[in-house]
Amino acid sequence: MSDQHSANEVRFRPPRKEDGAGILRLVHDLGVLDVNSAYAYMLIGEHHAATSVVAEIDGELVGFITAYILPAQPDIVFVWQVGVAEAGRGRGLATRMLFEILEREACENVRYLDTTIGPSNDPSIALFRGLARRLETTVDESELFSSEMFGDFDDEPHEPEILFRIGPFDRASVIAHDTE
């Protein structure tokens, strides 16, 4: 799917370091994701492009996923952030970006997808539970980071981050989604 136009005129591609500022701008515009530095997003494009994705419509950034393979566990891809702009909504873009990553050669040995989600983030919970259903596998949920671990740096307490481990799944279940 990389560098291809779909029927919905969405183009998926690996991020480049030059996309860092645009990703940061989208994160700010969305107003719901933890804001990292442009430098962090540039590093995603420089170091983790094979496992991350940006989505564009008519050259405009409308979505991204930052992800990486766990160094000590190469069968796990960790999804760090998912963002979809208003212009990209209603197209199943987040799910399509997840499959775009899972279909890549960099993920050929991946059997689990991990992510963390705050307990009040219903859209993300639905996204990842839906992904597990499409992969015909399970989701194990457990607290990874407690609220207290975030300290008191923010004006409001940070929710705990719940680890969602999706899997195991195999390559065939990843590829099978295209026929659904």
Side-chain angles (χ1 to χ4, degrees):
M1 280 187 150
S2 292
D3 294 325
Q4 300 278 334
H5 287 280
S6 74
N8 290 329
E9 301 297 323
V10 177
R11 179 177 176 247
F12 300 101
R13 64 171 174 79
R16 299 181 295 262
K17 62 186 174 185
E18 293 83 5
D19 293 314
I23 294 171
L24 177 59
R25 201 168 16 263
L26 180 55
V27 169
H28 273 285
D29 291 348
L30 293 171
V32 294
L33 296 173
D34 288 338
V35 177
N36 298 286
S37 67
Y39 178 76
Y41 296 115
M42 286 182 227
L43 284 174
I44 291 293
E46 182 69 11
H47 295 162
H48 301 292
T51 52
S52 297
V53 65
V54 295
E56 297 175 320
I57 298 175
D58 297 327
E60 177 188 347
L61 180 70
V62 295
F64 74 94
I65 294 179
T66 56
Y68 56 90
I69 303 286
L70 296 182
Q73 295 174 286
D75 64 336
I76 299 175
V77 63
F78 182 85
V79 173
W80 178 25
Q81 284 188 312
V82 177
V84 177
E86 187 66 38
R89 296 201 181 131
R91 300 171 182 254
L93 197 54
T95 298
R96 291 168 62 195
M97 288 190 295
L98 287 168
F99 276 105
E100 167 69 19
I101 291 169
L102 291 174
E103 289 175 353
R104 292 186 184 162
E105 185 177 331
C107 290
E108 69 183 343
N109 296 317
V110 166
R111 300 296 169 254
Y112 295 89
L113 182 146
D114 283 2
T115 194
T116 62
I117 305 172
S120 68
N121 189 339
D122 293 332
S124 287
I125 291 169
L127 170 66
F128 286 99
R129 287 182 179 162
L131 177 67
R133 280 191 302 279
R134 291 191 68 178
L135 291 171
E136 298 181 354
T137 192
T138 60
V139 181
D140 291 324
E141 300 174 27
S142 60
E143 185 175 284
L144 184 62
F145 303 122
S146 69
S147 294
E148 295 77 26
M149 291 177 78
F150 288 96
D152 57 1
F153 297 107
D154 295 328
D155 293 335
E156 298 179 21
H158 197 291
E159 284 191 309
E161 289 286 334
I162 308 304
L163 174 67
F164 278 56
R165 173 158 290 163
I166 298 169
F169 52 85
D170 60 23
R171 197 86 179 135
S173 62
V174 170
I175 303 305
H177 93 278
D178 283 333
T179 60
E180 295 174 2

